[in-house]
Amino acid sequence: MADRVTFRMGDVFPADDDIAVWVMNLSIALGDLRIVADYAVRDEQPDYERIYFVRLFASHLREVAKLLARDFDDRQDVRDFVAKLPQAGRDARDEAARMLNDNFTLRPRIVVWRDMARVRNDTFHYASDKPSRKRLRAAIEEVADMEGVYFVNDDGTMRADYADLVTANRMHPFEEQEPELPVTRELHDRIIALNEQVATFIAHAESQWLFSRSQGVVTVTSD
């Protein structure tokens, strides 16, 4: 059995209401996070797929952080709305903000949200900006003595494994004593934990917004 919460879109999300637009943004973001989370936590997947979904996961979370952290700091209407949430929702937002400003254990000089921003830029900009291009050049130089491979399989599929090698190095530039996989795993663990808090907060925000509408605007049915 599943519940259906139904309403006329314009009655619940009027386009000229700033908080309605903000909550809609949260809902869109949570939908994206739920999709990528399913892929990122799969036990059986090639390393290059795991790294890709970690990059994508971190990138989505970095953008969501702007909604629940930056907007909270900059907008009084957002703070007023959040103040009406149940304690669990407010606690989740506070914990997410704390986690974003925390430092990595293996890289104690690196702040989580800043590293997520770097990963986001490198994932989506493809080195079109100067900092990303500089990191790409550094990663190419770092793997200069490694073997590059291009796979052409019997079924006609192909993959530039050499590009995956550079991507992995660019994602986590590390010193010799910092092996790549533990660093990748720590980022993976941080974004999973952060996502839990973000998802909890957004679910409370959605519920608060939907069920604070006038009586009769929102209908709940069970299928």
Side-chain angles (χ1 to χ4, degrees):
M1 182 177 292
D3 290 337
R4 286 170 53 87
V5 180
T6 59
F7 47 85
R8 178 180 174 275
M9 287 291 292
D11 292 338
V12 175
F13 291 100
D16 59 353
D17 186 307
D18 290 341
I19 292 297
V21 172
W22 187 73
V23 174
M24 178 62 75
N25 238 345
L26 290 175
S27 293
I28 292 170
L30 184 55
D32 291 341
L33 289 172
R34 284 172 173 154
I35 293 171
V36 72
D38 286 342
Y39 285 91
V41 301
R42 288 178 302 162
D43 290 331
E44 299 296 329
Q45 59 181 315
D47 285 343
Y48 64 81
E49 285 190 9
R50 186 178 303 279
I51 287 176
Y52 169 74
F53 287 115
V54 169
R55 289 163 57 205
L56 191 60
F57 206 167
S59 299
H60 280 310
L61 276 171
R62 175 64 186 92
E63 295 306 298
V64 177
K66 296 177 182 179
L67 299 175
L68 65 89
R70 189 181 67 183
D71 281 0
F72 182 84
D73 291 339
D74 294 346
R75 293 176 53 179
Q76 184 63 49
D77 60 341
V78 169
R79 290 195 295 274
D80 291 342
F81 175 77
V82 171
K84 299 174 185 177
L85 298 184
Q87 188 65 49
R90 300 198 304 271
D91 288 346
R93 196 219 68 85
D94 291 345
E95 179 62 12
R98 184 200 66 78
M99 294 171 70
L100 286 164
N101 286 284
D102 197 10
N103 295 73
F104 288 101
T105 301
L106 295 178
R107 295 173 292 159
R109 295 190 299 271
I110 305 298
V111 179
V112 171
W113 75 265
R114 290 186 181 276
D115 200 47
M116 290 168 64
R118 175 187 63 83
V119 172
R120 175 206 59 198
N121 290 343
D122 287 349
T123 297
F124 291 110
H125 291 179
Y126 291 111
S128 61
D129 60 283
K130 289 183 179 179
S132 292
R133 189 156 53 246
K134 181 179 179 181
R135 289 191 293 269
L136 178 59
R137 290 182 186 277
I140 293 173
E141 183 176 358
E142 186 68 27
V143 302
D145 292 330
M146 299 182 184
E147 181 182 46
V149 180
Y150 194 104
F151 287 107
V152 180
N153 301 310
D154 292 339
D155 61 2
T157 59
M158 298 171 284
R159 184 159 192 91
D161 182 75
Y162 63 83
D164 297 329
L165 182 66
V166 172
T167 295
N169 186 277
R170 182 171 59 158
M171 182 176 174
H172 290 306
F174 52 86
E175 299 174 2
E176 291 184 2
Q177 69 269 25
E178 294 180 336
E180 172 190 335
L181 289 180
V183 173
T184 303
R185 191 177 301 116
E186 183 179 22
L187 175 61
H188 183 270
D189 291 344
R190 291 293 184 102
I191 63 177
I192 293 297
L194 177 60
N195 184 64
E196 181 178 351
Q197 301 301 324
V198 169
T200 297
F201 166 69
I202 295 178
H204 279 287
E206 290 174 329
S207 179
Q208 172 66 26
W209 182 254
L210 291 175
F211 294 106
S212 65
R213 303 304 90 197
S214 300
Q215 186 175 2
V217 171
V218 173
T219 302
V220 180
T221 58
S222 296
D223 293 338

